[in-house]
């Protein structure tokens, strides 16, 4: 009897405990919860949409932003189901739209929902008086061949030559075949590799270290590459050509032809003492390296980056022995060539050339010691030739990823840095991902195998970059395996905004995500992005599909 009473009392205690636990979890279940916000920066007059479990069907809901009551625009409640462990569950999803008002202006404004007198913090957002950048579409998200306005199928080995000027010509090159796409017009032609020096051939034409660029009008294609012709001193020599090919009649004008030895990848002073080589002046008379990157503006000026003199040629293939450097040069419309700046990270090796001098091997020869303008960047993103602006960044390499810490903007014409953006570090998921430079958090990175930083063709707006910014700690299947975004970094207004969301997981129905086989290669005159779907994101691709933006 005694033990029966004790057992009965234990059951009562256990039942009471279970009851309190049940009440606790019921209270937790009643707390408002929302999905992750797609945007964390808003301007006065914008609409903030909250989607999740907000209890709109059971109680009055009050939303405040920065302790200011938010006017409710609409409330929508829908019933849905999901299956877990072979059990069917019903749930209700609420969607509330509220208006952003002037009293909410400020950084890290808390969004709070109050249900049945219980308050819950839902998010933190930045609210500005005016929008720092115009609202942008999400056309960078995917490529869909079924909805594409233009499709060009190209053979294996086709090189894509981007053009980021709105309405500029995008060129596809395969052997001596050239295809130009410009605002819906397609031009096709064949090049005869012959100039004022005679017939020549391009050595290893798909080499990724060569430079290619077309001008904004779509009139000319510029190429910097290694060639072979009958006028060379011998088989151990090659000629670096900087050539201009007409995209109208496909004739070739060689702006510079520089002969150098390519049997060992070194420049021996028995052939040429680089101390006496002409570095700057009229383009036809300088000792000119291969330029990996070329940028052309509407005034006929060219900017170059990534020069290299050390080339080794064997069996029709060529190899550059020296890593790409940060040296930048300029060719004006009158044909005068000069170097503008070089990197400061490895100052004594930039512009680095491997030479044999007085019979001794020298790896530290700087071809342009007279250039004193230095970049503190680790990498160069691109040059906006139209506005003489260069964009670079610094960071740290880790495996296949390069983690970016700081972005830079440099005015090449004025030889000065005009902007720098170092985002605040976030230990987990960034909270404030849009807004002024001084409050934005982030986690920016790119794959070392291929840069994912793009130009955005808007006057005064420096870059659009593929941010690889993880904004959720755990993958969200509804968002395609992860929530990342393409960011616009505005050095004029010192602010960051979301250009487009990015869904990481490729779609099995033939939709290609940005960075997962789809790259921006240009823009229409109305500044809508044009994309190319490739099997490999490099110079030697197997398939090219030019797609206008999805409608």
């Amino acid at each position: 009897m005694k033990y029966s009473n004790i057992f009965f009392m234990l059951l009562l205690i256990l039942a009471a405990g279970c009851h309190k636990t049940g009440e606790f979890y019921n209270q937790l279940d009643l707390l408002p919860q929302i999905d992750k916000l797609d945007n964390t920066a808003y301007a006065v007059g914008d609409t903030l949409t909250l989607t999740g479990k907000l209890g709109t069907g059971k109680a009055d809901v009050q939303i405040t932003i920065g302790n200011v009551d938010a006017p409710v625009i609409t409330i929508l409640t829908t019933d849905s189901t999901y299956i877990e462990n072979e059990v069917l569950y019903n749930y209700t999803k609420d969607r509330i739209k509220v208006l952003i008002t002037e009293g909410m202006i400020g950084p890290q404004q808390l969004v709070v929902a109050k249900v049945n007198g219980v308050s819950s913090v839902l998010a933190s957002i930045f609210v500005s008086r005016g929008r720092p950048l115009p609202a942008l579409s999400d056309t960078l998200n995917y490529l869909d061949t079924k909805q594409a306005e233009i499709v060009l199928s190209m053979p294996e080995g086709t090189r894509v030559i981007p053009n980021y000027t709105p309405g500029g010509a995008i060129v596809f090159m395969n052997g001596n075949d050239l295809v130009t796409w410009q605002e819906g017009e397609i031009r096709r032609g064949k090049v005869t590799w012959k100039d004022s020096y005679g017939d020549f051939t391009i050595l290893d034409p798909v080499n990724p270290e060569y430079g290619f660029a077309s001008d904004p009008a779509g009139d000319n294609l510029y190429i910097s590459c290694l060639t072979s012709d009958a006028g060379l001193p011998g088989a151990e020599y090659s000629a670096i050509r900087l050539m201009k090919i007409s995209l109208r009649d496909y004739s070739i004008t060689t702006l510079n032809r520089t002969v150098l030895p390519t049997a060992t990848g070194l420049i021996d002073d028995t052939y040429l003492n680089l101390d006496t080589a002409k570095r700057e002046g009229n383009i036809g008379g300088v000792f000119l390296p291969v330029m990996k990157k070329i940028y052309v503006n509407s005034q006929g000026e060219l900017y170059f980056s990534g020069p290299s003199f050390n080339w080794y040629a064997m069996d029709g293939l060529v190899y550059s022995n020296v890593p790409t450097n940060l040296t930048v040069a300029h060719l004006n419309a009158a044909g005068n060539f000069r170097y503008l700046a070089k990197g400061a990270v490895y100052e004594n090796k930039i512009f680095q050339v491997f030479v044999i001098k007085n019979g001794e091997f020298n790896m530290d020869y700087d071809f342009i010691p007279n250039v004193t303008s230095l970049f503190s960047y680790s990498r160069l993103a691109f040059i906006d030739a139209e506005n003489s602006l260069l964009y670079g960044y610094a960071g740290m390499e880790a495996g296949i990823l390069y983690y970016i810490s700081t972005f830079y903007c440099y005015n090449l014409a004025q030889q000065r840095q005009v902007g720098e953006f170092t985002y605040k570090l976030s230990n987990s998921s960034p909270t404030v991902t849009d807004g002024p430079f001084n409050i934005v958090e982030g986690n920016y990175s790119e794959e070392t195998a291929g840069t994912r930083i793009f130009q955005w063709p808007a006057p005064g707006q420096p870059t659009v970059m593929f941010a690889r910014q993880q904004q959720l700690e755990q993958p969200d299947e509804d968002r395609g395996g992860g929530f990342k975004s393409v960011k616009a970094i505005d050095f004029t207004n010192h602010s960051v905004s979301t250009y487009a969301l990015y869904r990481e997981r490729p779609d099995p129905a033939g939709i290609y995500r940005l960075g997962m086989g789809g790259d921006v290669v240009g823009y229409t005159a109305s500044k809508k992005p044009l994309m190319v779907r490739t099997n490999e994101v490099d110079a030697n691709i197997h398939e090219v599909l030019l797609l206008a933006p999805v409608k």
Side-chain angles (χ1 to χ4, degrees), residues 63-127:
I63 306 295
T64 62
I65 300 174
N67 293 321
V68 176
D69 288 343
V72 175
I73 301 173
T74 60
I75 297 177
L76 178 66
T77 300
T78 57
D79 293 324
S80 189
T81 60
Y82 69 95
I83 297 176
E84 184 176 321
N85 297 326
E86 298 182 353
V87 177
L88 180 67
Y89 293 90
N90 298 309
Y91 73 97
T92 299
K93 177 165 282 193
D94 304 313
R95 178 171 295 171
I96 301 178
K97 292 185 177 182
V98 298
L99 181 68
I100 302 295
T101 62
E102 190 164 342
M104 304 171 185
I105 293 174
Q108 300 183 20
Q109 300 289 67
L110 296 182
V111 180
V112 178
K114 190 175 183 180
V115 180
N116 286 337
V118 179
S119 297
S120 178
V121 176
L122 304 178
S124 175
I125 64 173
F126 166 73
V127 179

Side-chain angles (χ1 to χ4, degrees), residues 142-151 510-511 547-551:
Y142 56 87
L143 310 175
D144 188 346
T145 57
K146 296 177 183 178
Q147 300 180 49
E149 295 175 1
I150 298 292
V151 177
I511 296 177
L547 300 110
V550 174
K551 292 182 177 179

Side-chain angles (χ1 to χ4, degrees), residues 193-354:
W193 301 108
K194 184 176 184 178
D195 59 11
S196 59
Y197 297 94
D199 295 333
F200 67 90
T201 57
I202 296 179
L203 299 175
D204 194 9
V206 297
N207 193 293
E209 302 299 314
Y210 292 165
F212 293 77
S214 61
D215 62 18
D219 292 329
N220 298 295
L221 172 67
Y222 295 86
I223 303 177
S224 177
C225 63
L226 220 59
T227 66
S228 179
D229 59 50
L232 295 171
E236 66 273 22
Y237 294 89
S238 300
I240 296 174
R241 270 178 166 84
L242 174 63
M243 67 183 91
K244 179 174 70 173
I245 302 175
S246 169
L247 293 175
R248 306 295 176 176
D249 64 13
Y250 303 98
S251 61
I252 297 176
T253 302
T254 293
L255 305 177
N256 181 280
R257 176 180 176 272
T258 293
V259 178
L260 77 168
T262 52
T264 64
L266 306 172
I267 297 183
D268 196 321
D269 61 0
T270 58
Y271 169 73
L272 174 67
N273 183 357
L274 283 183
D275 292 341
T276 64
K278 186 177 181 181
R279 292 162 169 75
E280 298 178 320
N282 183 274
I283 186 63
V286 298
F287 194 73
L288 192 70
V290 171
M291 298 293 189
K292 184 175 182 178
K293 295 291 185 180
I294 307 175
Y295 309 87
V296 191
N297 65 20
S298 57
Q299 287 75 47
E301 298 176 304
L302 276 66
Y303 287 91
F304 307 93
S305 68
S308 178
F309 275 123
N310 295 106
W311 292 89
Y312 173 58
M314 180 184 67
D315 298 332
L317 300 176
V318 296
Y319 308 90
S320 178
N321 289 349
V322 181
T324 300
N325 55 71
L326 298 178
T327 301
V328 174
H330 176 245
L331 176 66
N332 66 19
N336 187 60
F337 175 86
R338 70 186 183 101
Y339 291 96
L340 300 179
K342 60 184 178 182
V345 179
Y346 305 104
E347 187 172 343
N348 64 327
K349 295 183 179 180
I350 295 176
F351 170 13
Q352 177 189 7
V353 185
F354 291 170

